[in-house]
Amino acid sequence: MTAIKEIRAAAYRVPTDRPEADGTLAWDATTLVVVEADAENTTGTGWTYAPAAAAVFVTEALAGTVAGADAMDIPATWTAMTRRARNAGRPGAAGYAISAVDVALWDLKARLLGTPLTRLFGAARPDVPVYGSGGFTTYDDDTTRAQLRHWAHELGIPRVKIKIGESRGTAPGRDLHRVAVAREAVGPGTELYVDANGGYTAKQAVRLASLLDGQGVSWFEEPVSSDDLAGLRLVRERIGADVAAGEYGSDLTYFTRMCQAGAVDCLQIDATRCGGYTGWFGAAAIAAGHHLEVSAHCAPNLHLPAAAATPGLRHVEWFHDHARIEAELFDGAADPAGGTARPRADTPGHGLTLRPGAAGHRVA
């Protein structure tokens, strides 16, 4: 038995490079919660993007459950964590906390075995397709053009996404203008995606989709709230673009309901919210059982090993905010040039290590 010695958690608040907003939320900083797990003089690292309360939950509720467990038996530890969180609820801070610990445990196991995570999981492909994601509603036209042109023309990423649904769907004219700006910026050969973050009603989304189709939009993410399965299904049945949602799901029951409802064309999975890598593979299995592809939501470097090990993967979201933070705070971040990114195969685990300089952003 290789006993887990200690679990530590810390929160880091990183300012955005400019104000950011989507259809239903605005922010000027992002909080990263990092978990470290120790066994036999080896440390595994996991993280999530969550309120600092998730770090407190790790320390106060999960650390005692995980310490002393066998580092090789992650499913047993994952089950123990979910049971410990029963009265806290899986959504919210508890779900984020479990996810970050689970990622740290998988990274620890791979490092103890001296193997890259993708080899431990079993690779389905050497690298994964990515799409550039940003285009926040706070951006002016010039900022949007510069970001999208950087991805499409300088880095050669053949698919990009912008935010729409501004002010909870009350500015559809500006939404359509920004989509036109995006199409002009990337040209006809680049796939164009949009994400409303649940800002529209179902019928409003259907009406707008007919106009978005004229700009070649092929991916409509969360046109209505991810909780509105009937609304998602209505939009999916009425429009030509693929409808995607699911990233806020924190348990496998939610993903099952979404697939059974016929609500999406592609299921989005976020390992930083749904229970880490353990939760990712459970959700991916549910999607496969319903003949759906999956897409990784945000946290691109964290998702790369699991994405590369998933046969039914469509792509990984190269989300501007998280990609910038991971490149700044971790050694070993990947390069999306050419439209694909490759998980680390030359070092054990996921290959990312928190830099000492991250301490300057610590808030908990």
Side-chain angles (χ1 to χ4, degrees):
M1 174 176 173
T2 305
I4 298 167
K5 181 180 179 182
E6 183 182 11
I7 296 288
R8 300 180 300 280
Y12 305 86
R13 188 175 187 273
V14 184
T16 58
D17 54 2
R18 51 174 54 87
E20 297 176 355
D22 55 34
T24 54
L25 188 68
W27 62 96
D28 60 8
T30 298
T31 302
L32 173 77
V33 173
V34 178
V35 171
E36 294 179 319
D38 295 339
E40 292 189 351
N41 299 316
T42 301
T43 298
T45 303
W47 67 94
T48 184
Y49 294 92
V56 176
F57 192 83
V58 171
T59 302
E60 295 185 353
L62 300 181
T65 300
V66 176
D70 193 330
M72 298 293 113
D73 295 337
I74 297 174
T77 305
W78 189 89
T79 301
M81 288 194 292
T82 58
R83 289 174 176 169
R84 177 66 179 83
R86 188 199 71 175
N87 288 348
R90 280 289 304 281
Y96 289 120
I98 291 170
S99 300
V101 174
D102 181 83
V103 171
L105 295 181
W106 279 106
D107 185 47
L108 173 64
K109 180 175 181 176
R111 290 174 189 260
L112 287 167
L113 295 173
T115 188
L117 252 180
T118 302
R119 183 166 294 279
L120 180 63
F121 293 150
R125 55 178 58 80
D127 50 25
V128 299
V130 303
Y131 69 89
S133 173
F136 301 106
T137 61
T138 44
Y139 284 3
D140 60 25
D141 290 353
D142 288 342
T143 302
T144 299
R145 288 189 187 97
Q147 185 181 68
L148 299 183
R149 286 171 178 164
H150 171 67
W151 285 328
H153 303 312
E154 296 175 22
L155 293 183
I157 299 175
R159 52 197 82 84
V160 299
K161 185 177 80 179
I162 69 167
K163 301 290 190 180
I164 60 172
E166 182 175 345
S167 302
R168 296 187 177 274
T170 61
R174 185 163 189 265
D175 289 337
L176 293 171
H177 167 75
R178 294 180 59 255
V179 172
V181 168
R183 173 53 73 196
E184 179 273 329
V186 300
T190 299
E191 293 183 52
L192 181 58
Y193 302 165
V194 297
D195 182 359
N197 287 97
Y200 298 131
T201 65
K203 290 185 177 180
Q204 183 184 22
V206 170
R207 290 194 299 271
L208 284 171
S210 64
L211 301 174
L212 297 175
D213 187 58
Q215 298 291 352
V217 171
S218 58
W219 169 280
F220 199 163
E221 183 174 330
E222 208 182 4
V224 300
S225 171
S226 287
D227 293 329
D228 183 4
L229 301 187
L232 286 168
R233 181 174 181 175
L234 174 66
V235 176
R236 179 175 179 259
E237 291 174 344
R238 298 287 185 87
I239 71 172
D242 282 356
V243 171
E247 67 271 22
Y248 296 108
S250 60
D251 60 55
L252 301 186
T253 301
Y254 169 85
F255 291 117
T256 301
R257 290 200 307 267
M258 178 163 281
C259 292
Q260 290 175 338
V264 294
D265 297 286
C266 184
L267 186 67
Q268 286 183 289
I269 310 175
D270 189 331
T272 75
R273 298 173 175 178
C274 73
Y277 293 136
T278 301
W280 165 280
F281 287 113
I286 291 169
H290 289 83
H291 308 288
L292 292 176
E293 292 181 318
V294 301
S295 177
H297 175 263
C298 293
N301 287 281
L302 181 146
H303 279 116
L304 286 180
T310 301
L313 180 84
R314 183 175 295 194
H315 42 42
V316 169
E317 180 178 18
W318 206 262
F319 183 53
H320 169 71
D321 199 15
H322 295 178
R324 180 183 60 86
I325 290 171
E326 289 166 6
E328 177 184 344
L329 300 191
F330 291 91
D331 288 322
D335 180 0
T340 63
R342 185 178 293 259
R344 296 290 297 273
D346 59 344
T347 187
H350 51 53
L352 274 74
T353 305
L354 189 68
R355 290 175 175 153
H361 295 289
R362 185 167 179 172
V363 293

mmCIF file of all heavy atoms in Angstrom, residues 108-151:
data_model
loop_
_atom_site.group_PDB
_atom_site.id
_atom_site.type_symbol
_atom_site.label_atom_id
_atom_site.label_comp_id
_atom_site.label_asym_id
_atom_site.label_seq_id
_atom_site.Cartn_x
_atom_site.Cartn_y
_atom_site.Cartn_z
ATOM 1 N N LEU A 108 -0.709 12.281 -8.984
ATOM 2 C CA LEU A 108 0.171 11.636 -8.010
ATOM 3 C C LEU A 108 0.414 10.173 -8.388
ATOM 4 O O LEU A 108 1.567 9.705 -8.387
ATOM 5 C CB LEU A 108 -0.462 11.714 -6.619
ATOM 6 C CG LEU A 108 0.252 10.936 -5.502
ATOM 7 C CD1 LEU A 108 1.647 11.496 -5.251
ATOM 8 C CD2 LEU A 108 -0.587 10.974 -4.224
ATOM 9 N N LYS A 109 -0.641 9.461 -8.717
ATOM 10 C CA LYS A 109 -0.485 8.046 -9.079
ATOM 11 C C LYS A 109 0.438 7.877 -10.282
ATOM 12 O O LYS A 109 1.342 7.020 -10.289
ATOM 13 C CB LYS A 109 -1.854 7.430 -9.370
ATOM 14 C CG LYS A 109 -1.781 5.955 -9.765
ATOM 15 C CD LYS A 109 -3.174 5.354 -9.925
ATOM 16 C CE LYS A 109 -3.091 3.879 -10.303
ATOM 17 N NZ LYS A 109 -4.442 3.250 -10.376
ATOM 18 N N ALA A 110 0.231 8.706 -11.310
ATOM 19 C CA ALA A 110 1.070 8.607 -12.505
ATOM 20 C C ALA A 110 2.526 8.916 -12.180
ATOM 21 O O ALA A 110 3.448 8.265 -12.693
ATOM 22 C CB ALA A 110 0.547 9.546 -13.586
ATOM 23 N N ARG A 111 2.752 9.901 -11.327
ATOM 24 C CA ARG A 111 4.128 10.255 -10.959
ATOM 25 C C ARG A 111 4.769 9.150 -10.124
ATOM 26 O O ARG A 111 5.965 8.864 -10.270
ATOM 27 C CB ARG A 111 4.140 11.586 -10.211
ATOM 28 C CG ARG A 111 3.804 12.779 -11.112
ATOM 29 C CD ARG A 111 3.682 14.085 -10.330
ATOM 30 N NE ARG A 111 3.168 15.160 -11.158
ATOM 31 C CZ ARG A 111 3.912 16.111 -11.738
ATOM 32 N NH1 ARG A 111 5.227 16.086 -11.569
ATOM 33 N NH2 ARG A 111 3.353 17.048 -12.471
ATOM 34 N N LEU A 112 3.999 8.536 -9.242
ATOM 35 C CA LEU A 112 4.536 7.416 -8.469
ATOM 36 C C LEU A 112 4.924 6.256 -9.372
ATOM 37 O O LEU A 112 5.909 5.551 -9.113
ATOM 38 C CB LEU A 112 3.501 6.947 -7.438
ATOM 39 C CG LEU A 112 3.279 7.868 -6.235
ATOM 40 C CD1 LEU A 112 2.024 7.443 -5.480
ATOM 41 C CD2 LEU A 112 4.493 7.859 -5.307
ATOM 42 N N LEU A 113 4.150 6.058 -10.442
ATOM 43 C CA LEU A 113 4.433 4.975 -11.388
ATOM 44 C C LEU A 113 5.434 5.385 -12.456
ATOM 45 O O LEU A 113 5.873 4.539 -13.258
ATOM 46 C CB LEU A 113 3.131 4.519 -12.054
ATOM 47 C CG LEU A 113 2.095 3.879 -11.121
ATOM 48 C CD1 LEU A 113 0.799 3.625 -11.887
ATOM 49 C CD2 LEU A 113 2.627 2.581 -10.528
ATOM 50 N N GLY A 114 5.794 6.676 -12.482
ATOM 51 C CA GLY A 114 6.773 7.160 -13.445
ATOM 52 C C GLY A 114 6.273 7.164 -14.879
ATOM 53 O O GLY A 114 7.052 6.940 -15.813
ATOM 54 N N THR A 115 4.967 7.452 -15.078
ATOM 55 C CA THR A 115 4.406 7.400 -16.422
ATOM 56 C C THR A 115 3.539 8.625 -16.697
ATOM 57 O O THR A 115 2.935 9.181 -15.771
ATOM 58 C CB THR A 115 3.552 6.115 -16.589
ATOM 59 O OG1 THR A 115 3.162 5.975 -17.949
ATOM 60 C CG2 THR A 115 2.310 6.152 -15.724
ATOM 61 N N PRO A 116 3.473 9.071 -17.936
ATOM 62 C CA PRO A 116 2.561 10.174 -18.264
ATOM 63 C C PRO A 116 1.114 9.766 -18.022
ATOM 64 O O PRO A 116 0.747 8.589 -18.171
ATOM 65 C CB PRO A 116 2.820 10.432 -19.755
ATOM 66 C CG PRO A 116 4.158 9.835 -20.023
ATOM 67 C CD PRO A 116 4.284 8.667 -19.095
ATOM 68 N N LEU A 117 0.268 10.731 -17.686
ATOM 69 C CA LEU A 117 -1.129 10.426 -17.401
ATOM 70 C C LEU A 117 -1.833 9.794 -18.599
ATOM 71 O O LEU A 117 -2.635 8.871 -18.450
ATOM 72 C CB LEU A 117 -1.869 11.712 -17.001
ATOM 73 C CG LEU A 117 -2.251 11.862 -15.536
ATOM 74 C CD1 LEU A 117 -2.964 13.175 -15.310
ATOM 75 C CD2 LEU A 117 -3.099 10.694 -15.071
ATOM 76 N N THR A 118 -1.548 10.294 -19.792
ATOM 77 C CA THR A 118 -2.220 9.753 -20.970
ATOM 78 C C THR A 118 -1.891 8.276 -21.161
ATOM 79 O O THR A 118 -2.736 7.489 -21.582
ATOM 80 C CB THR A 118 -1.841 10.551 -22.232
ATOM 81 O OG1 THR A 118 -2.197 11.921 -22.036
ATOM 82 C CG2 THR A 118 -2.572 10.028 -23.446
ATOM 83 N N ARG A 119 -0.654 7.880 -20.842
ATOM 84 C CA ARG A 119 -0.307 6.461 -20.944
ATOM 85 C C ARG A 119 -1.006 5.658 -19.846
ATOM 86 O O ARG A 119 -1.420 4.512 -20.080
ATOM 87 C CB ARG A 119 1.208 6.290 -20.865
ATOM 88 C CG ARG A 119 1.660 4.838 -21.049
ATOM 89 C CD ARG A 119 3.141 4.750 -21.307
ATOM 90 N NE ARG A 119 3.495 5.353 -22.586
ATOM 91 C CZ ARG A 119 3.367 4.743 -23.762
ATOM 92 N NH1 ARG A 119 2.879 3.510 -23.818
ATOM 93 N NH2 ARG A 119 3.726 5.346 -24.863
ATOM 94 N N LEU A 120 -1.133 6.262 -18.661
ATOM 95 C CA LEU A 120 -1.857 5.579 -17.589
ATOM 96 C C LEU A 120 -3.321 5.380 -17.977
ATOM 97 O O LEU A 120 -3.897 4.314 -17.751
ATOM 98 C CB LEU A 120 -1.761 6.393 -16.294
ATOM 99 C CG LEU A 120 -2.460 5.820 -15.064
ATOM 100 C CD1 LEU A 120 -1.852 4.483 -14.666
ATOM 101 C CD2 LEU A 120 -2.384 6.805 -13.899
ATOM 102 N N PHE A 121 -3.927 6.412 -18.578
ATOM 103 C CA PHE A 121 -5.314 6.296 -19.031
ATOM 104 C C PHE A 121 -5.439 5.381 -20.250
ATOM 105 O O PHE A 121 -6.419 4.660 -20.395
ATOM 106 C CB PHE A 121 -5.867 7.676 -19.423
ATOM 107 C CG PHE A 121 -6.034 8.634 -18.282
ATOM 108 C CD1 PHE A 121 -5.905 10.001 -18.502
ATOM 109 C CD2 PHE A 121 -6.339 8.197 -17.002
ATOM 110 C CE1 PHE A 121 -6.078 10.908 -17.469
ATOM 111 C CE2 PHE A 121 -6.513 9.093 -15.957
ATOM 112 C CZ PHE A 121 -6.374 10.460 -16.194
ATOM 113 N N GLY A 122 -4.454 5.447 -21.145
ATOM 114 C CA GLY A 122 -4.511 4.744 -22.421
ATOM 115 C C GLY A 122 -4.921 5.707 -23.517
ATOM 116 O O GLY A 122 -6.066 6.156 -23.576
ATOM 117 N N ALA A 123 -4.000 6.060 -24.400
ATOM 118 C CA ALA A 123 -4.246 7.101 -25.395
ATOM 119 C C ALA A 123 -5.144 6.606 -26.525
ATOM 120 O O ALA A 123 -5.017 5.475 -26.994
ATOM 121 C CB ALA A 123 -2.930 7.609 -25.972
ATOM 122 N N ALA A 124 -6.042 7.485 -26.959
ATOM 123 C CA ALA A 124 -6.841 7.246 -28.159
ATOM 124 C C ALA A 124 -6.278 8.001 -29.350
ATOM 125 O O ALA A 124 -6.584 7.663 -30.495
ATOM 126 C CB ALA A 124 -8.291 7.675 -27.921
ATOM 127 N N ARG A 125 -5.448 9.028 -29.071
ATOM 128 C CA ARG A 125 -4.840 9.858 -30.121
ATOM 129 C C ARG A 125 -3.631 10.562 -29.521
ATOM 130 O O ARG A 125 -3.570 10.773 -28.301
ATOM 131 C CB ARG A 125 -5.848 10.890 -30.646
ATOM 132 C CG ARG A 125 -6.424 11.760 -29.532
ATOM 133 C CD ARG A 125 -7.378 12.814 -30.051
ATOM 134 N NE ARG A 125 -8.495 12.236 -30.781
ATOM 135 C CZ ARG A 125 -9.571 11.691 -30.206
ATOM 136 N NH1 ARG A 125 -9.635 11.634 -28.870
ATOM 137 N NH2 ARG A 125 -10.557 11.206 -30.911
ATOM 138 N N PRO A 126 -2.649 10.965 -30.328
ATOM 139 C CA PRO A 126 -1.462 11.630 -29.771
ATOM 140 C C PRO A 126 -1.698 13.087 -29.400
ATOM 141 O O PRO A 126 -1.008 13.630 -28.537
ATOM 142 C CB PRO A 126 -0.437 11.525 -30.900
ATOM 143 C CG PRO A 126 -1.259 11.435 -32.140
ATOM 144 C CD PRO A 126 -2.480 10.657 -31.764
ATOM 145 N N ASP A 127 -2.643 13.747 -30.078
ATOM 146 C CA ASP A 127 -2.949 15.129 -29.760
ATOM 147 C C ASP A 127 -4.435 15.362 -29.965
ATOM 148 O O ASP A 127 -5.152 14.482 -30.454
ATOM 149 C CB ASP A 127 -2.112 16.105 -30.599
ATOM 150 C CG ASP A 127 -2.153 15.779 -32.071
ATOM 151 O OD1 ASP A 127 -3.137 15.140 -32.528
ATOM 152 O OD2 ASP A 127 -1.214 16.149 -32.790
ATOM 153 N N VAL A 128 -4.933 16.530 -29.555
ATOM 154 C CA VAL A 128 -6.375 16.768 -29.600
ATOM 155 C C VAL A 128 -6.670 18.084 -30.314
ATOM 156 O O VAL A 128 -5.905 19.052 -30.208
ATOM 157 C CB VAL A 128 -6.980 16.797 -28.184
ATOM 158 C CG1 VAL A 128 -6.769 15.467 -27.484
ATOM 159 C CG2 VAL A 128 -6.406 17.923 -27.351
ATOM 160 N N PRO A 129 -7.791 18.158 -31.046
ATOM 161 C CA PRO A 129 -8.195 19.419 -31.666
ATOM 162 C C PRO A 129 -8.603 20.423 -30.589
ATOM 163 O O PRO A 129 -9.181 20.064 -29.562
ATOM 164 C CB PRO A 129 -9.397 19.025 -32.529
ATOM 165 C CG PRO A 129 -9.374 17.540 -32.601
ATOM 166 C CD PRO A 129 -8.705 17.059 -31.363
ATOM 167 N N VAL A 130 -8.313 21.678 -30.830
ATOM 168 C CA VAL A 130 -8.710 22.747 -29.909
ATOM 169 C C VAL A 130 -9.449 23.827 -30.684
ATOM 170 O O VAL A 130 -9.339 23.929 -31.902
ATOM 171 C CB VAL A 130 -7.496 23.365 -29.181
ATOM 172 C CG1 VAL A 130 -6.713 22.302 -28.436
ATOM 173 C CG2 VAL A 130 -6.594 24.121 -30.150
ATOM 174 N N TYR A 131 -10.212 24.650 -29.944
ATOM 175 C CA TYR A 131 -10.782 25.854 -30.554
ATOM 176 C C TYR A 131 -10.515 27.057 -29.655
ATOM 177 O O TYR A 131 -10.559 26.954 -28.431
ATOM 178 C CB TYR A 131 -12.275 25.692 -30.856
ATOM 179 C CG TYR A 131 -13.207 25.605 -29.665
ATOM 180 C CD1 TYR A 131 -13.764 26.747 -29.096
ATOM 181 C CD2 TYR A 131 -13.583 24.359 -29.143
ATOM 182 C CE1 TYR A 131 -14.651 26.662 -28.036
ATOM 183 C CE2 TYR A 131 -14.465 24.267 -28.088
ATOM 184 C CZ TYR A 131 -15.002 25.426 -27.534
ATOM 185 O OH TYR A 131 -15.880 25.338 -26.478
ATOM 186 N N GLY A 132 -10.186 28.179 -30.292
ATOM 187 C CA GLY A 132 -9.948 29.407 -29.552
ATOM 188 C C GLY A 132 -11.255 29.958 -29.019
ATOM 189 O O GLY A 132 -12.232 30.094 -29.760
ATOM 190 N N SER A 133 -11.293 30.285 -27.730
ATOM 191 C CA SER A 133 -12.535 30.692 -27.074
ATOM 192 C C SER A 133 -12.319 31.979 -26.289
ATOM 193 O O SER A 133 -11.449 32.057 -25.426
ATOM 194 C CB SER A 133 -13.012 29.576 -26.139
ATOM 195 O OG SER A 133 -14.108 29.989 -25.367
ATOM 196 N N GLY A 134 -13.119 32.972 -26.582
ATOM 197 C CA GLY A 134 -13.041 34.262 -25.889
ATOM 198 C C GLY A 134 -14.117 35.161 -26.436
ATOM 199 O O GLY A 134 -15.299 34.912 -26.266
ATOM 200 N N GLY A 135 -13.711 36.244 -27.122
ATOM 201 C CA GLY A 135 -14.682 37.138 -27.735
ATOM 202 C C GLY A 135 -15.734 37.615 -26.757
ATOM 203 O O GLY A 135 -16.937 37.586 -27.034
ATOM 204 N N PHE A 136 -15.294 38.094 -25.594
ATOM 205 C CA PHE A 136 -16.222 38.472 -24.528
ATOM 206 C C PHE A 136 -17.081 39.678 -24.928
ATOM 207 O O PHE A 136 -16.672 40.509 -25.752
ATOM 208 C CB PHE A 136 -15.436 38.768 -23.254
ATOM 209 C CG PHE A 136 -14.623 37.601 -22.780
ATOM 210 C CD1 PHE A 136 -13.246 37.579 -22.934
ATOM 211 C CD2 PHE A 136 -15.245 36.500 -22.207
ATOM 212 C CE1 PHE A 136 -12.491 36.497 -22.524
ATOM 213 C CE2 PHE A 136 -14.497 35.402 -21.794
ATOM 214 C CZ PHE A 136 -13.117 35.402 -21.955
ATOM 215 N N THR A 137 -18.258 39.755 -24.332
ATOM 216 C CA THR A 137 -19.191 40.816 -24.702
ATOM 217 C C THR A 137 -18.686 42.203 -24.322
ATOM 218 O O THR A 137 -19.193 43.201 -24.834
ATOM 219 C CB THR A 137 -20.573 40.579 -24.058
ATOM 220 O OG1 THR A 137 -20.440 40.573 -22.638
ATOM 221 C CG2 THR A 137 -21.170 39.262 -24.521
ATOM 222 N N THR A 138 -17.715 42.281 -23.442
ATOM 223 C CA THR A 138 -17.109 43.561 -23.065
ATOM 224 C C THR A 138 -16.101 44.060 -24.089
ATOM 225 O O THR A 138 -15.653 45.209 -24.013
ATOM 226 C CB THR A 138 -16.405 43.416 -21.707
ATOM 227 O OG1 THR A 138 -15.671 42.186 -21.692
ATOM 228 C CG2 THR A 138 -17.404 43.406 -20.567
ATOM 229 N N TYR A 139 -15.697 43.211 -25.027
ATOM 230 C CA TYR A 139 -14.688 43.602 -26.009
ATOM 231 C C TYR A 139 -15.300 44.540 -27.046
ATOM 232 O O TYR A 139 -16.428 44.315 -27.511
ATOM 233 C CB TYR A 139 -14.151 42.374 -26.745
ATOM 234 C CG TYR A 139 -13.176 41.514 -25.982
ATOM 235 C CD1 TYR A 139 -12.829 41.762 -24.665
ATOM 236 C CD2 TYR A 139 -12.600 40.408 -26.606
ATOM 237 C CE1 TYR A 139 -11.935 40.952 -23.996
ATOM 238 C CE2 TYR A 139 -11.702 39.581 -25.946
ATOM 239 C CZ TYR A 139 -11.377 39.863 -24.636
ATOM 240 O OH TYR A 139 -10.490 39.059 -23.972
ATOM 241 N N ASP A 140 -14.521 45.552 -27.451
ATOM 242 C CA ASP A 140 -14.939 46.334 -28.606
ATOM 243 C C ASP A 140 -14.559 45.569 -29.873
ATOM 244 O O ASP A 140 -13.906 44.510 -29.824
ATOM 245 C CB ASP A 140 -14.327 47.734 -28.580
ATOM 246 C CG ASP A 140 -12.807 47.744 -28.591
ATOM 247 O OD1 ASP A 140 -12.184 46.767 -29.079
ATOM 248 O OD2 ASP A 140 -12.214 48.738 -28.117
ATOM 249 N N ASP A 141 -14.968 46.100 -31.012
ATOM 250 C CA ASP A 141 -14.755 45.372 -32.270
ATOM 251 C C ASP A 141 -13.282 45.131 -32.563
ATOM 252 O O ASP A 141 -12.904 44.041 -33.022
ATOM 253 C CB ASP A 141 -15.390 46.143 -33.429
ATOM 254 C CG ASP A 141 -16.908 46.134 -33.379
ATOM 255 O OD1 ASP A 141 -17.482 45.427 -32.516
ATOM 256 O OD2 ASP A 141 -17.528 46.836 -34.200
ATOM 257 N N ASP A 142 -12.449 46.124 -32.288
ATOM 258 C CA ASP A 142 -11.024 45.967 -32.597
ATOM 259 C C ASP A 142 -10.387 44.879 -31.734
ATOM 260 O O ASP A 142 -9.544 44.102 -32.215
ATOM 261 C CB ASP A 142 -10.286 47.296 -32.403
ATOM 262 C CG ASP A 142 -10.615 48.309 -33.488
ATOM 263 O OD1 ASP A 142 -11.120 47.894 -34.554
ATOM 264 O OD2 ASP A 142 -10.365 49.517 -33.279
ATOM 265 N N THR A 143 -10.775 44.823 -30.458
ATOM 266 C CA THR A 143 -10.226 43.797 -29.569
ATOM 267 C C THR A 143 -10.678 42.408 -30.016
ATOM 268 O O THR A 143 -9.884 41.454 -30.030
ATOM 269 C CB THR A 143 -10.670 44.050 -28.122
ATOM 270 O OG1 THR A 143 -10.231 45.355 -27.713
ATOM 271 C CG2 THR A 143 -10.083 43.018 -27.175
ATOM 272 N N THR A 144 -11.937 42.293 -30.390
ATOM 273 C CA THR A 144 -12.446 41.013 -30.873
ATOM 274 C C THR A 144 -11.705 40.573 -32.128
ATOM 275 O O THR A 144 -11.280 39.418 -32.246
ATOM 276 C CB THR A 144 -13.952 41.122 -31.162
ATOM 277 O OG1 THR A 144 -14.647 41.460 -29.948
ATOM 278 C CG2 THR A 144 -14.503 39.809 -31.707
ATOM 279 N N ARG A 145 -11.554 41.498 -33.078
ATOM 280 C CA ARG A 145 -10.849 41.159 -34.317
ATOM 281 C C ARG A 145 -9.423 40.693 -34.035
ATOM 282 O O ARG A 145 -8.954 39.690 -34.597
ATOM 283 C CB ARG A 145 -10.807 42.373 -35.242
ATOM 284 C CG ARG A 145 -12.123 42.752 -35.878
ATOM 285 C CD ARG A 145 -11.913 43.828 -36.931
ATOM 286 N NE ARG A 145 -13.166 44.330 -37.454
ATOM 287 C CZ ARG A 145 -13.769 45.435 -37.034
ATOM 288 N NH1 ARG A 145 -13.203 46.185 -36.086
ATOM 289 N NH2 ARG A 145 -14.916 45.811 -37.557
ATOM 290 N N ALA A 146 -8.724 41.416 -33.167
ATOM 291 C CA ALA A 146 -7.321 41.081 -32.892
ATOM 292 C C ALA A 146 -7.202 39.697 -32.271
ATOM 293 O O ALA A 146 -6.324 38.901 -32.638
ATOM 294 C CB ALA A 146 -6.709 42.140 -31.974
ATOM 295 N N GLN A 147 -8.084 39.387 -31.319
ATOM 296 C CA GLN A 147 -8.017 38.078 -30.669
ATOM 297 C C GLN A 147 -8.310 36.954 -31.651
ATOM 298 O O GLN A 147 -7.589 35.948 -31.715
ATOM 299 C CB GLN A 147 -9.009 38.022 -29.508
ATOM 300 C CG GLN A 147 -8.922 36.742 -28.700
ATOM 301 C CD GLN A 147 -9.936 36.715 -27.582
ATOM 302 O OE1 GLN A 147 -11.134 36.638 -27.831
ATOM 303 N NE2 GLN A 147 -9.458 36.785 -26.340
ATOM 304 N N LEU A 148 -9.365 37.105 -32.439
ATOM 305 C CA LEU A 148 -9.750 36.048 -33.361
ATOM 306 C C LEU A 148 -8.736 35.878 -34.482
ATOM 307 O O LEU A 148 -8.443 34.742 -34.904
ATOM 308 C CB LEU A 148 -11.137 36.335 -33.938
ATOM 309 C CG LEU A 148 -12.283 36.408 -32.921
ATOM 310 C CD1 LEU A 148 -13.602 36.629 -33.641
ATOM 311 C CD2 LEU A 148 -12.357 35.154 -32.067
ATOM 312 N N ARG A 149 -8.199 36.967 -34.984
ATOM 313 C CA ARG A 149 -7.178 36.862 -36.027
ATOM 314 C C ARG A 149 -5.918 36.200 -35.503
ATOM 315 O O ARG A 149 -5.248 35.445 -36.232
ATOM 316 C CB ARG A 149 -6.869 38.246 -36.590
ATOM 317 C CG ARG A 149 -7.972 38.791 -37.498
ATOM 318 C CD ARG A 149 -7.744 40.241 -37.872
ATOM 319 N NE ARG A 149 -8.773 40.735 -38.787
ATOM 320 C CZ ARG A 149 -9.003 42.008 -39.038
ATOM 321 N NH1 ARG A 149 -8.254 42.950 -38.436
ATOM 322 N NH2 ARG A 149 -9.960 42.357 -39.883
ATOM 323 N N HIS A 150 -5.576 36.470 -34.246
ATOM 324 C CA HIS A 150 -4.411 35.813 -33.645
ATOM 325 C C HIS A 150 -4.590 34.306 -33.667
ATOM 326 O O HIS A 150 -3.684 33.558 -34.079
ATOM 327 C CB HIS A 150 -4.217 36.311 -32.221
ATOM 328 C CG HIS A 150 -3.177 35.555 -31.445
ATOM 329 N ND1 HIS A 150 -1.828 35.592 -31.768
ATOM 330 C CD2 HIS A 150 -3.290 34.714 -30.377
ATOM 331 C CE1 HIS A 150 -1.162 34.816 -30.936
ATOM 332 N NE2 HIS A 150 -2.019 34.279 -30.083
ATOM 333 N N TRP A 151 -5.767 33.841 -33.229
ATOM 334 C CA TRP A 151 -6.007 32.401 -33.209
ATOM 335 C C TRP A 151 -6.056 31.819 -34.621
ATOM 336 O O TRP A 151 -5.379 30.837 -34.919
ATOM 337 C CB TRP A 151 -7.327 32.100 -32.500
ATOM 338 C CG TRP A 151 -7.275 32.224 -31.022
ATOM 339 C CD1 TRP A 151 -6.211 31.967 -30.206
ATOM 340 C CD2 TRP A 151 -8.335 32.645 -30.172
ATOM 341 N NE1 TRP A 151 -6.557 32.194 -28.890
ATOM 342 C CE2 TRP A 151 -7.859 32.608 -28.839
ATOM 343 C CE3 TRP A 151 -9.655 33.047 -30.385
ATOM 344 C CZ2 TRP A 151 -8.647 32.953 -27.749
ATOM 345 C CZ3 TRP A 151 -10.443 33.380 -29.304
ATOM 346 C CH2 TRP A 151 -9.942 33.335 -28.004
#
